Amino acid sequence: MKVVLLAGGLGTRLSEETSIRPKPMVEIGGKPIMWHIMKIYAHYGMRDFIILGGYKVEYIREYFINYRKNQCDFTVDLKSGKVDWLQAVGDDWRVTILDTGGATMTGGRILRARHFLQDERFCLTYGDGLSNVNMDQLISTHRAANAWCTLTAVTQPGRYGALRLNEDHTMVKGFREKHMADGGLINGGFFVCEPQMLDLIDGDDTVFEAEPLERAIERGKLASYLHDGYWQSMDSLRDKQILNAQWAAGAPWKIW
């Protein structure tokens, strides 16, 4: 199953870092946060990634083009230019990087990858959130719900929009603005999607979290997977500092 990573936004709330690089390339423990996300999926056997770039996409391209060079020992013959790699890359990944436009919204970015998804089920997530979510259970929940999309519902106080779920927390009934004191469930990303979701996206200006998800709700096709474990997004410099401290202390998302 392919994994689609949204990695094209400006990341304005982390401008101290994102003035230089795209947000998914901000480092946690010396590695881009996107690398950590990919390691989580790879732990569950998902190693075919599609990165939807936009803002400073060249930074992402350079990182993966030079990935082997920066990971492995090698011997180079300076006269011939021949390089002998002394070890294999530890990460057996296939990575497709797409420039989906600087101003394209999340839905539009996903739609631009349609050709690469080949009308198959795929996983989808943001390039700035870490979790120890059990992907096998998430996918099983999605299959059992016969949904077009399943999102991961997590608890997070603060500034996000909350979810309204049915009584057994299996289906999403709607969204609402979240009060600062409300500790309710929110959309933590880590989606599983059927190709039908692409038909609910109008174009580049479509925000995936708006019309497509609302349309899926109207059809009774948006399910939820309740994750009560670790989840943390990186929306500010303080969040980055928290994640780096957690990495140094053992990293609750490090399941590999």
Side-chain angles (χ1 to χ4, degrees):
M1 189 184 303
K2 291 182 174 64
V3 179
V4 178
L5 293 100
L6 288 160
L10 295 177
T12 53
R13 287 183 289 187
L14 193 60
S15 59
E16 301 91 343
E17 291 278 355
T18 56
S19 61
I20 302 169
R21 72 198 81 190
K23 189 177 178 184
M25 299 304 292
V26 174
E27 293 187 353
I28 304 298
K31 297 282 190 180
I33 189 171
M34 184 161 61
W35 176 89
H36 293 264
I37 297 167
M38 295 165 79
K39 291 289 282 188
I40 294 168
Y41 279 102
H43 173 77
Y44 289 96
M46 289 176 276
R47 300 183 176 90
D48 193 346
F49 299 96
I50 301 174
I51 299 174
L52 307 181
Y55 173 71
K56 294 188 180 295
V57 66
E58 67 278 3
Y59 201 106
I60 301 173
R61 287 171 169 165
E62 286 296 319
Y63 177 78
F64 285 104
I65 283 292
N66 294 308
Y67 192 84
R68 185 174 188 179
K69 180 183 72 174
N70 294 328
Q71 297 285 328
C72 300
D73 296 335
F74 60 85
T75 299
V76 58
D77 186 314
L78 297 182
K79 183 176 181 179
S80 67
K82 180 183 177 183
V83 177
D84 292 323
W85 299 100
L86 303 182
Q87 65 194 88
V89 175
D91 298 310
D92 182 19
W93 300 347
R94 184 174 187 269
V95 182
T96 300
I97 301 169
L98 304 180
D99 182 355
T100 57
T104 309
M105 297 292 102
T106 49
R109 295 189 192 283
I110 298 165
L111 189 60
R112 288 195 183 200
R114 183 167 206 160
H115 172 71
F116 297 89
L117 295 172
Q118 299 177 336
D119 291 326
E120 298 175 355
R121 178 182 295 147
F122 61 95
C123 285
L124 169 71
T125 195
Y126 305 107
D128 63 355
L130 295 173
S131 178
N132 61 354
V133 59
N134 188 310
M135 298 295 175
D136 288 340
Q137 292 181 7
L138 168 60
I139 294 169
S140 294
T141 298
H142 173 77
R143 288 172 174 161
N146 192 30
W148 289 356
C149 179
T150 299
L151 56 79
T152 300
V154 300
T155 301
Q156 172 75 2
R159 57 194 175 275
Y160 303 92
L163 300 174
R164 184 165 53 86
L165 305 182
N166 65 352
E167 290 183 0
D168 62 1
H169 288 174
T170 60
M171 299 300 293
V172 179
K173 306 300 289 184
F175 300 93
R176 61 184 174 83
E177 288 302 311
K178 183 174 173 58
H179 189 273
M180 291 295 288
D182 186 352
L185 296 168
I186 64 166
N187 170 19
F190 296 100
F191 302 88
V192 183
C193 299
E194 298 297 325
Q196 289 93 328
M197 286 302 298
L198 300 175
D199 296 328
L200 305 183
I201 301 171
D202 296 327
D204 281 356
D205 294 333
T206 303
V207 177
F208 182 71
E209 301 79 5
E211 290 91 349
L213 292 190
E214 293 286 357
R215 290 165 179 168
I217 290 172
E218 291 170 1
R219 291 161 174 79
K221 291 295 185 178
L222 180 59
S224 64
Y225 170 72
L226 182 60
H227 173 63
D228 59 3
Y230 175 84
W231 180 88
Q232 175 66 50
S233 64
M234 185 183 66
D235 287 319
S236 67
L237 185 59
R238 179 177 178 274
D239 292 338
K240 179 198 170 188
Q241 293 166 344
I242 289 171
L243 289 169
N244 271 301
Q246 290 176 342
W247 176 260
W253 67 87
K254 188 178 183 297
I255 57 178
W256 60 90

